Amino acid sequence: MDKKQRIIDAAIQLYLKNGIEKTTISHIVKEAGIAQGTFYLYFPTKLAVMPAIAEQMVATVHEKLMQIDRNATIREKMLNCINILFSNTNTYQELTKLIYTGFTQTEEVKQWEKIYSPLYAWVFEVIEEAQSNDEVDGKLDAKVVARIIIGAIESTAEQIYLFDDSPITQVEHVKDNLLRFILNGLN
Amino acid sequence: MDKKQRIIDAAIQLYLKNGIEKTTISHIVKEAGIAQGTFYLYFPTKLAVMPAIAEQMVATVHEKLMQIDRNATIREKMLNCINILFSNTNTYQELTKLIYTGFTQTEEVKQWEKIYSPLYAWVFEVIEEAQSNDEVDGKLDAKVVARIIIGAIESTAEQIYLFDDSPITQVEHVKDNLLRFILNGLN
Amino acid sequence: MDKKQRIIDAAIQLYLKNGIEKTTISHIVKEAGIAQGTFYLYFPTKLAVMPAIAEQMVATVHEKLMQIDRNATIREKMLNCINILFSNTNTYQELTKLIYTGFTQTEEVKQWEKIYSPLYAWVFEVIEEAQSNDEVDGKLDAKVVARIIIGAIESTAEQIYLFDDSPITQVEHVKDNLLRFILNGLN
Amino acid sequence: MDKKQRIIDAAIQLYLKNGIEKTTISHIVKEAGIAQGTFYLYFPTKLAVMPAIAEQMVATVHEKLMQIDRNATIREKMLNCINILFSNTNTYQELTKLIYTGFTQTEEVKQWEKIYSPLYAWVFEVIEEAQSNDEVDGKLDAKVVARIIIGAIESTAEQIYLFDDSPITQVEHVKDNLLRFILNGLN
DNA sequence: GATGAATGAGATTTCATTCAT
DNA sequence: CATGAATGAAATCTCATTCAT
């Protein structure tokens, strides 16, 4: 019923399956079951759909993060965070990368900060709280480190899922090292 | 004079300026100053140029890494590495991401490992050597952590240079945190 | 308030600014501040607005012609007529031509005669009266010459205002020649 | 063989038959027997073909004018000129008007002067020569009057052929009046 | 009467690819 | 090897028109 949402859903499907390059507006409208011209009522180009897609994906991840027990240890929180982001990268395959690319190409880069901020904020709060308990190196700038950690997790997940073809068991080994490295990093 | 190299140079210029999506073979040949048909003597598609571009970029970074004093402390080595990768990201803007995207779209993903491996290898050796001196947590898998570190540095640099518009002074602050986090992480 | 008039006004604005070809019904309704469907309550196509536009323009010119003193000499009348038509062409720029084009394209050509007839009639009466006073060559068919004169004035004005970029002073020189030529022609 | 010429010829055919508004680039390439993309190698839009069409039409008229005996009387020259322009307007139906419209819409108005100038030049020379023989009012500016005459002839022809539905015999009557009026005008 | 979201046929436009030179 | 005009399939984009509200 909501044409805009149907466009977004169709775009996600097709970007995931075929990549942005090979996806056309014609494909999107066909998948969405709407008329050709209707697309242009909501988006000027196929890349202009990206911010909407990104918002949706980040919202999904954020929701999962919010379900983590606030009283858990920082180790448990980070472990959960790693699992959620890895799972997300795995599910959405190249979507994360495509969102980056889509953004930078549409020059709507400024929106990125805003859209991604809930994730940064969650890690930031975890770190800050842990710093107040002396569980984490107080000299680190929690805001900056939150971004570093999110980046490290995502880039590692991407290396695993997009560029590697190691067996699944390997994944756990990488996660162990990543968790250890991050906890070390926070001290 | 060397047509192939001129195609690569032109492609880099245009991918950086307009993104892969909007760059066409027609643009590339025009920028390269060669005939339309000549492109096909060297590359089958515009995405097939990506591996050549990636190789060139990685070679540049690797060369700089090799100039770092082998006897420096791990702190100095990591500091240098951060500076080199940040500078590279800044210079090449979105090229790193585009290389990822380009690769995943051409299904030549396997080449990525091979091309990027000199960078991983350099960090790997630094860590391993430090582990043998007990400077670094021996329980970490040096091969895995090398990738985590490269990923963390690159993603942080991207956040800074692509998605942020903070003043330059901010960059140093982020680098400080990143270095501290990584050194913590290794120990 | 009167939707029909708002459509006509908007159409004039846009036809003048962008030409008929590039003006769309969507543009017109937007300019008129009415809904898309409302246009069709008053006109079947965008060209069907032309007769209404023409009528309005001719009425304006005719009104000015009627204000000329009936007892003036034929020289004064022709001078006034030239000034009015020049001023009209200047104001409405290409509208005259567009009206022609619009008409011929809609096959509503027959209306043209009817709409333009007040202008022809005015000149016709001036000539006929002058012929009865022996001020004008009695062998000329007043009806035909009226059209020739209107045509000559308009085409000259168009050449000046649409296709020339001479300074204003030039205009007076052309008008002098035109008046002299017409008065010669009549006698 | 010459694709550009084939585009021009096809465009003339179709503009004459259906008007500019209803003619599409698709029609033109089909009529010209060339590929869709080929059109864009030569013209950016369908209106950009107009100057080329105008040039061709003016060249045809000019050629006929040049065949008029240089030693003929001014009456004979003007009579011939009227016949040629009437015949041209009759043959090309609305093309003259369409050229105007096409021009003004493409903002290539400046070219008009240049393209039309051979016709003006011909009349100019006729008048000037006649002025030197005292056959024509020496106070008239030959350059200006040349344009007035061309304009008067064309607009009268257009009124006849485009907007009137009088029987053919009428045409001769109008021509008589036009010639008489012009000769009077020149004195 | 008035609205304006939706339509989809059909227009414009692009661009990878070919091939005779 | 190199060229670049030509191609035409396929993309984007437009816009007159409809119709449920």
Side-chain angles (χ1 to χ4, degrees):
Chain A
M1 207 51 169
D2 180 358
K3 309 277 176 180
K4 189 174 182 181
Q5 189 57 44
R6 279 162 69 178
I7 291 172
I8 294 171
D9 292 344
I12 290 176
Q13 297 295 328
L14 294 168
Y15 287 169
L16 286 179
K17 192 162 63 182
N18 307 322
I20 292 183
E21 180 84 15
K22 284 181 194 152
T23 298
T24 69
I25 292 174
S26 304
H27 295 157
I28 294 173
V29 297
K30 197 176 165 189
E31 177 78 20
I34 58 168
Q36 192 78 9
T38 305
F39 181 91
Y40 295 92
L41 295 178
Y42 297 99
F43 300 99
T45 67
K46 73 180 183 188
L47 291 180
V49 188
M50 295 312 297
I53 294 177
E55 254 167 31
Q56 191 156 312
M57 207 192 70
V58 168
T60 306
V61 170
H62 187 237
E63 215 165 288
K64 287 185 193 158
L65 288 178
M66 294 308 282
Q67 288 168 5
I68 297 175
D69 181 8
R70 293 206 50 144
N71 299 320
T73 64
I74 188 158
R75 162 178 289 273
E76 282 167 338
K77 284 175 179 167
M78 281 302 146
L79 177 59
N80 266 303
C81 182
I82 289 172
N83 282 329
I84 291 168
L85 287 177
F86 265 58
S87 151
N88 184 64
T89 302
N90 191 22
T91 306
Y92 287 99
Q93 293 279 347
E94 17 186 326
L95 191 53
T96 318
K97 285 298 176 195
L98 294 178
I99 285 170
Y100 270 96
T101 315
F103 265 124
T104 55
Q105 283 176 9
T106 16
E107 288 152 10
E108 310 192 50
V109 174
K110 298 295 142 58
Q111 295 186 42
W112 179 254
E113 275 297 302
K114 190 165 146 281
I115 292 170
Y116 237 65
S117 56
L119 304 194
Y120 295 144
W122 185 86
V123 179
F124 167 72
E125 281 166 27
V126 168
I127 295 173
E128 205 173 36
E129 194 192 321
Q131 281 178 325
S132 69
N133 298 347
D134 267 340
E135 291 180 296
V136 159
D137 179 353
K139 287 188 181 160
L140 291 171
D141 181 337
K143 201 154 167 281
V144 171
V145 172
R147 284 147 194 261
I148 293 173
I149 289 174
I150 296 273
I153 298 173
E154 284 197 337
S155 67
T156 306
E158 284 153 12
Q159 282 172 41
I160 293 277
Y161 292 118
L162 301 183
F163 307 117
D164 224 8
D165 38 359
S166 24
I168 298 291
T169 57
Q170 189 70 10
V171 175
E172 291 309 313
H173 178 61
V174 171
K175 280 187 187 172
D176 287 346
N177 272 275
L178 185 55
L179 179 59
R180 187 179 187 87
F181 180 78
I182 289 173
L183 293 176
N184 276 355
L186 293 171
N187 198 354
Chain B
M1 195 53 89
D2 178 1
K3 310 273 178 180
K4 187 173 181 179
Q5 189 58 45
R6 277 162 70 181
I7 290 171
I8 294 171
D9 291 345
I12 291 176
Q13 296 292 329
L14 294 169
Y15 287 169
L16 286 178
K17 193 162 62 178
N18 307 322
I20 292 183
E21 179 82 17
K22 285 181 194 151
T23 298
T24 68
I25 292 178
S26 305
H27 294 158
I28 294 173
V29 298
K30 196 177 169 189
E31 177 79 19
I34 59 169
Q36 195 77 9
T38 305
F39 182 91
Y40 295 91
L41 299 176
Y42 298 99
F43 299 98
T45 68
K46 73 179 182 187
L47 291 179
V49 188
M50 293 311 297
I53 293 177
E55 258 167 30
Q56 189 158 310
M57 204 191 74
V58 169
T60 306
V61 171
H62 188 238
E63 213 166 289
K64 287 186 194 158
L65 288 178
M66 295 308 284
Q67 288 168 4
I68 298 175
D69 181 5
R70 292 204 50 139
N71 299 320
T73 64
I74 188 161
R75 162 179 290 272
E76 282 168 338
K77 283 175 180 167
M78 282 299 145
L79 178 58
N80 265 304
C81 182
I82 289 172
N83 282 330
I84 290 168
L85 286 177
F86 264 58
S87 150
N88 185 63
T89 302
N90 191 20
T91 307
Y92 286 96
Q93 294 280 346
E94 16 187 328
L95 193 53
T96 317
K97 286 296 173 195
L98 292 177
I99 286 171
Y100 271 94
T101 314
F103 269 124
T104 57
Q105 283 176 9
T106 20
E107 290 151 6
E108 311 193 50
V109 175
K110 302 295 142 61
Q111 294 188 43
W112 179 252
E113 277 297 305
K114 189 165 145 277
I115 293 170
Y116 235 65
S117 57
L119 303 195
Y120 294 143
W122 184 87
V123 179
F124 167 71
E125 281 166 26
V126 167
I127 294 173
E128 205 172 36
E129 193 191 324
Q131 280 178 324
S132 69
N133 299 348
D134 267 340
E135 289 180 296
V136 159
D137 179 353
K139 288 187 182 161
L140 291 172
D141 179 337
K143 197 152 168 285
V144 171
V145 172
R147 283 149 194 260
I148 293 174
I149 289 174
I150 296 274
I153 297 174
E154 284 195 339
S155 68
T156 306
E158 283 153 12
Q159 283 173 41
I160 293 276
Y161 292 119
L162 301 183
F163 308 117
D164 221 10
D165 37 0
S166 23
I168 297 292
T169 56
Q170 190 71 10
V171 175
E172 291 309 315
H173 176 62
V174 171
K175 280 186 186 171
D176 287 347
N177 274 274
L178 186 55
L179 180 58
R180 186 177 188 90
F181 180 78
I182 289 173
L183 293 175
N184 277 354
L186 289 172
N187 178 1
Chain C
M1 196 54 88
D2 178 0
K3 310 273 178 180
K4 186 172 183 180
Q5 190 57 44
R6 276 161 71 179
I7 291 171
I8 295 171
D9 292 344
I12 291 176
Q13 297 293 329
L14 294 170
Y15 288 169
L16 286 178
K17 193 161 63 181
N18 307 322
I20 292 181
E21 179 82 17
K22 284 181 195 153
T23 298
T24 68
I25 293 178
S26 305
H27 294 157
I28 294 173
V29 297
K30 196 177 169 189
E31 176 81 21
I34 59 169
Q36 196 76 8
T38 305
F39 182 91
Y40 295 91
L41 299 176
Y42 298 98
F43 299 98
T45 68
K46 74 180 182 187
L47 291 179
V49 189
M50 294 311 296
I53 294 177
E55 256 167 30
Q56 189 159 312
M57 204 191 72
V58 169
T60 307
V61 171
H62 188 237
E63 212 166 290
K64 287 186 194 157
L65 288 177
M66 295 308 283
Q67 288 167 4
I68 298 174
D69 181 6
R70 293 203 50 137
N71 300 320
T73 64
I74 188 161
R75 160 178 291 272
E76 282 167 340
K77 284 176 179 166
M78 282 300 147
L79 177 57
N80 266 302
C81 182
I82 289 172
N83 283 329
I84 290 167
L85 286 178
F86 265 58
S87 150
N88 184 63
T89 302
N90 190 21
T91 307
Y92 287 97
Q93 293 281 347
E94 14 187 328
L95 193 53
T96 318
K97 285 296 174 196
L98 293 178
I99 285 171
Y100 271 94
T101 315
F103 268 127
T104 57
Q105 283 176 7
T106 19
E107 289 150 7
E108 311 192 49
V109 175
K110 302 296 140 59
Q111 294 187 44
W112 179 254
E113 276 297 304
K114 189 164 146 279
I115 292 170
Y116 235 67
S117 57
L119 303 195
Y120 295 144
W122 184 87
V123 179
F124 167 72
E125 281 166 25
V126 168
I127 294 173
E128 205 172 37
E129 192 192 324
Q131 281 178 324
S132 70
N133 299 348
D134 267 340
E135 289 181 297
V136 159
D137 179 353
K139 288 188 181 161
L140 290 172
D141 180 337
K143 200 155 168 282
V144 171
V145 173
R147 283 147 192 264
I148 293 174
I149 289 175
I150 296 274
I153 297 174
E154 285 195 337
S155 67
T156 306
E158 283 154 12
Q159 283 172 40
I160 293 278
Y161 292 119
L162 301 184
F163 307 117
D164 222 11
D165 37 0
S166 25
I168 297 292
T169 57
Q170 190 71 9
V171 176
E172 291 309 315
H173 176 62
V174 171
K175 280 185 186 173
D176 286 347
N177 273 274
L178 185 56
L179 179 59
R180 186 177 188 88
F181 180 79
I182 289 173
L183 293 175
N184 277 354
L186 289 172
N187 177 1
Chain D
M1 207 51 166
D2 179 357
K3 309 277 178 181
K4 188 174 182 181
Q5 189 57 45
R6 278 162 70 178
I7 291 171
I8 295 171
D9 292 345
I12 291 176
Q13 297 295 328
L14 294 169
Y15 287 170
L16 286 179
K17 193 161 64 180
N18 308 322
I20 292 183
E21 180 85 13
K22 284 181 194 153
T23 298
T24 69
I25 292 175
S26 305
H27 295 157
I28 295 174
V29 298
K30 197 177 168 189
E31 177 79 20
I34 59 169
Q36 194 77 8
T38 305
F39 182 91
Y40 295 92
L41 296 178
Y42 298 100
F43 300 99
T45 66
K46 72 181 184 187
L47 291 180
V49 188
M50 295 311 297
I53 294 177
E55 255 168 30
Q56 190 155 313
M57 205 193 71
V58 169
T60 306
V61 170
H62 187 236
E63 215 165 285
K64 287 186 192 158
L65 288 177
M66 294 307 284
Q67 288 168 4
I68 298 174
D69 181 7
R70 293 205 50 143
N71 300 319
T73 64
I74 188 160
R75 161 178 290 272
E76 283 168 338
K77 283 176 179 165
M78 282 301 147
L79 178 58
N80 265 303
C81 182
I82 289 172
N83 283 328
I84 290 168
L85 286 177
F86 265 58
S87 151
N88 184 64
T89 302
N90 190 21
T91 306
Y92 287 99
Q93 293 279 349
E94 14 185 327
L95 191 53
T96 317
K97 286 298 174 194
L98 293 179
I99 286 170
Y100 269 96
T101 315
F103 264 125
T104 55
Q105 285 177 8
T106 16
E107 289 153 11
E108 311 192 49
V109 174
K110 299 294 141 59
Q111 295 186 42
W112 181 254
E113 276 296 304
K114 190 164 145 282
I115 292 170
Y116 237 67
S117 57
L119 304 195
Y120 295 143
W122 184 86
V123 179
F124 167 72
E125 281 165 28
V126 167
I127 295 173
E128 205 172 37
E129 194 192 321
Q131 281 178 325
S132 69
N133 298 349
D134 266 340
E135 288 180 296
V136 158
D137 179 353
K139 288 186 180 162
L140 290 172
D141 181 338
K143 200 154 165 283
V144 171
V145 173
R147 284 148 192 263
I148 293 173
I149 290 173
I150 295 273
I153 297 173
E154 284 197 335
S155 66
T156 306
E158 284 154 11
Q159 282 171 43
I160 294 277
Y161 291 118
L162 301 183
F163 308 116
D164 225 8
D165 38 358
S166 25
I168 298 292
T169 56
Q170 190 70 10
V171 175
E172 291 309 314
H173 176 60
V174 171
K175 281 187 186 171
D176 286 346
N177 273 273
L178 185 55
L179 179 59
R180 186 177 189 89
F181 179 77
I182 289 173
L183 293 175
N184 276 355
L186 293 171
N187 200 352

